[in-house]
Amino acid sequence: MKTNKCLNIVLLLLFYPCTVTLSQDYSQPYIVNSIIGDTLTKSERDNYLLFQEIDGFNWAVFYLKQDSVLDAKVNYHRGGADRDTLIENYKKLKSLDYHIRAKNALDQGITVSSLSENKAKEYNSAKGEIIKVIRNNGEETYGELLFVRKNSLLLYKSECYNNLFMPDCVWKENQSELKRVIIKGNSNFGLGIILGILTGVVVGGIVFDSYNDGNICWGRDAIVPTILSTVGCITLGATAGIATSNPDNLIEIFSEQDIQGLSKYARFQYEEPSQLKAIK
């Protein structure tokens, strides 16, 4: 009996620190940024388009986890009483911080590009494919594919500089009005040629110099190998450019299934952002 009691104490001492380490600490809210602090009020929630799915929202506080993901404790009013709920893995800290800063900048008439370079790069890193839309009446237009709805596409005008918060920057194409969509490919042929020329100059110089053995005729003997090596490098560069290029992908639109198949090309593939839902 005494042995079992000692064993239990040892196990408790061994596993207790692990339990404390692994559990999330909800005693200290985390300050997301200087704009909202650690608590999101109802007016801030409406302005920054957050927690739109929660009716009767009162406030939310945030807690940072070790993987830089935020948990959110939300207080809301329902059934004549205030209630709390915990939303785990709500958003990445950097994502929420930039979302708030971007909307705040736009409210003040400041372009999103004026925010810090690192944050701007992070926000702009997610891009949809540039597609060409051909309507039934023959009209054509280009735009970045943002999101695919059940029977329509949401596209973005590149001249708006990533300003998704402005309705004029995004437009909708209905499936019933579409004839086909072309996913723009990319050509690396020109880049391959340039790299081939640069490599050819370097390799050709090395080959030409290798014939320098003190013989007065060495320059003449080096011309043909130098030309061949240079041409070979350019040809190799052009071949690599062609091999790594992607042709345009033409997709005929006949049904909702054709529309849904375009989701993999969209910037937002799985969930429509709240700022886009306002577009009817």
Side-chain angles (χ1 to χ4, degrees), residues 120-121 123-130 144-146 156 158 161-162 264-269:
K121 286 182 178 180
Y123 188 80
N124 292 327
S125 62
K127 292 289 186 182
E129 295 290 341
I130 300 298
E144 177 193 344
L145 183 59
L146 290 179
Y156 165 70
S158 58
Y161 302 102
N162 213 34
K264 61 184 178 180
Y265 300 109
R267 180 191 296 201
F268 307 103
Q269 298 184 15

Side-chain angles (χ1 to χ4, degrees), residues 202-273:
V202 174
V203 173
I206 295 174
V207 171
F208 189 84
D209 187 64
S210 67
Y211 277 80
N212 184 8
D213 57 359
N215 191 313
I216 194 172
C217 297
W218 72 272
R220 184 177 56 192
D221 296 337
I223 291 177
V224 174
T226 300
I227 293 176
L228 290 177
S229 62
T230 303
V231 171
C233 289
I234 296 174
T235 303
L236 183 62
T239 303
I242 294 173
T244 57
S245 298
N246 296 318
D248 291 348
N249 183 15
L250 188 150
I251 300 174
E252 300 285 349
I253 303 297
F254 297 111
S255 64
E256 292 180 3
Q257 285 73 24
D258 298 322
I259 285 285
Q260 294 302 308
L262 297 174
S263 294
K264 61 184 178 180
Y265 300 109
R267 180 191 296 201
F268 307 103
Q269 298 184 15
Y270 307 107
E271 182 179 357
E272 183 176 2

Side-chain angles (χ1 to χ4, degrees), residues 163-235:
N163 192 346
L164 299 183
F165 299 99
M166 300 298 290
D168 292 341
C169 293
V170 181
W171 83 95
K172 183 176 72 169
E173 294 284 349
N174 294 317
Q175 178 254 318
S176 59
E177 300 172 351
L178 294 179
K179 183 177 182 180
R180 64 176 61 92
V181 168
I182 298 177
I183 310 298
K184 296 290 293 180
N186 68 292
S187 175
N188 294 325
F189 179 75
L191 178 61
I193 290 290
I194 293 174
L195 293 178
I197 292 175
L198 294 177
T199 305
V201 170
V202 174
V203 173
I206 295 174
V207 171
F208 189 84
D209 187 64
S210 67
Y211 277 80
N212 184 8
D213 57 359
N215 191 313
I216 194 172
C217 297
W218 72 272
R220 184 177 56 192
D221 296 337
I223 291 177
V224 174
T226 300
I227 293 176
L228 290 177
S229 62
T230 303
V231 171
C233 289
I234 296 174
T235 303

Side-chain angles (χ1 to χ4, degrees), residues 98-145:
Y98 191 75
H99 173 90
I100 293 170
R101 291 184 183 278
K103 181 60 167 62
N104 186 63
L106 292 169
D107 289 344
Q108 299 178 48
I110 304 172
T111 60
V112 175
S113 60
S114 66
L115 300 180
S116 69
E117 181 179 356
N118 290 335
K119 290 184 179 295
K121 286 182 178 180
E122 178 186 347
Y123 188 80
N124 292 327
S125 62
K127 292 289 186 182
E129 295 290 341
I130 300 298
I131 68 173
K132 180 179 182 181
V133 173
I134 303 175
R135 303 187 182 99
N136 292 325
N137 60 7
E139 293 181 350
E140 300 180 0
T141 186
Y142 289 89
E144 177 193 344
L145 183 59

